[in-house]
Amino acid sequence: MIEGNKVRIRAVEQTDLDEIMKWVNDPEVIDNLLMRYPMSRYLEEKWMEKALDTSDMREKTFTIETKDGVYLGGIGLHKINWENRNAEVGIVIGKKEYWGKGYGTDAMLTILEFAFTHMNLHRVYLEVYDFNTRGIRSYEKCGFKKEGALRDDRYSRGKYHDTIIMGILKEEFEKIL
Ligand SMILES: CC(C)(COP(=O)(O)OP(=O)(O)OC[C@H]1O[C@@H](n2cnc3c(N)ncnc32)[C@H](O)[C@@H]1OP(=O)(O)O)[C@@H](O)C(=O)NCCC(=O)NCCS
């Protein structure tokens, strides 16, 4: 368990599958993610098999829950590069009624603390679509800086959007603690 102030980050459990199926086909949620096509339970089970396999040192995927144990979503460090000590972070609060209440920011701060202090990573970065103002605001609060933009990288809602790259270095994170 990785304890935050409002959330707890824990291992993915098979029992999370029912909760994941509740948001994984909700356009309002997945519009912000890499996903695009309808997702079957079978494909989600395949995803879960990978998440349950902790032997892959380049991928660490977890579940976010409230302190009372309410499932909220997932967070993960991906493409972990142990030579350059960096990783891409991904986050989703699947329960929409919990958006905008500080849970995502707390989960991100918690995983950053874990990444820099316990995993000895040096840089954590993420990709976010330009229309995801809630996400961008949350990441800025965590200390992420905009590093660049992939112009017209994502076609969504009938037009092209930039994918923004944001990143934070260990020393920058330590200053905001
Ligand atoms: C992005 C996400 C993780 C953020 O978590 P969250 O718990 O909703 O965010 P928080 O409440 O911690 O912070 C959001 C901030 O944005 C602000 N905000 C909320 N809605 C907003 C909006 N529509 N436009 C701009 N800012 C907004 C909030 O007021 C808050 O800032 P404040 O504390 O200064 O007032 C979550 O909303 C989510 O999972 N969304 C769907 C999937 C997704 O976008 N994943 C990330 C892909 S990069």
Side-chain angles (χ1 to χ4, degrees), residues 7-25:
V7 302
R8 180 179 298 124
I9 293 176
R10 61 157 172 82
V12 175
E13 299 282 355
Q14 259 161 337
T15 47
D16 294 334
L17 190 61
D18 286 339
E19 292 291 346
I20 294 171
M21 289 313 296
K22 287 180 192 163
W23 61 257
V24 81
N25 285 305

Side-chain angles (χ1 to χ4, degrees), residues 6-115:
K6 288 172 77 89
V7 302
R8 180 179 298 124
I9 293 176
R10 61 157 172 82
V12 175
E13 299 282 355
Q14 259 161 337
T15 47
D16 294 334
L17 190 61
D18 286 339
E19 292 291 346
I20 294 171
M21 289 313 296
K22 287 180 192 163
W23 61 257
V24 81
N25 285 305
D26 181 340
E28 223 188 323
V29 179
I30 63 168
D31 226 27
N32 299 294
L33 307 176
L34 262 181
M35 306 161 83
R36 190 185 293 275
Y37 302 104
M39 185 66 84
S40 64
R41 195 175 176 92
Y42 170 77
L43 280 177
E44 210 45 51
E45 275 166 358
K46 289 258 177 213
W47 173 87
M48 182 157 271
E49 265 173 42
K50 273 183 72 187
L52 292 171
D53 173 12
T54 51
S55 66
D56 187 347
M57 289 306 287
R58 292 161 307 169
E59 296 287 321
K60 298 289 165 201
T61 306
F62 306 105
T63 289
I64 307 168
E65 64 180 23
T66 67
K67 292 283 188 171
D68 304 334
V70 177
Y71 170 95
L72 293 181
I75 194 162
L77 293 163
H78 311 289
K79 304 178 199 164
I80 302 172
N81 183 314
W82 292 105
E83 286 83 23
N84 297 316
R85 311 212 74 83
N86 62 46
E88 178 174 354
V89 67
I91 182 169
V92 57
I93 302 289
K95 275 202 160 73
K96 288 190 285 192
E97 62 271 31
Y98 284 83
W99 285 358
K101 293 181 178 164
Y103 290 96
T105 301
D106 188 51
M108 186 60 82
L109 288 170
T110 305
I111 199 105
L112 286 176
E113 202 270 334
F114 186 76

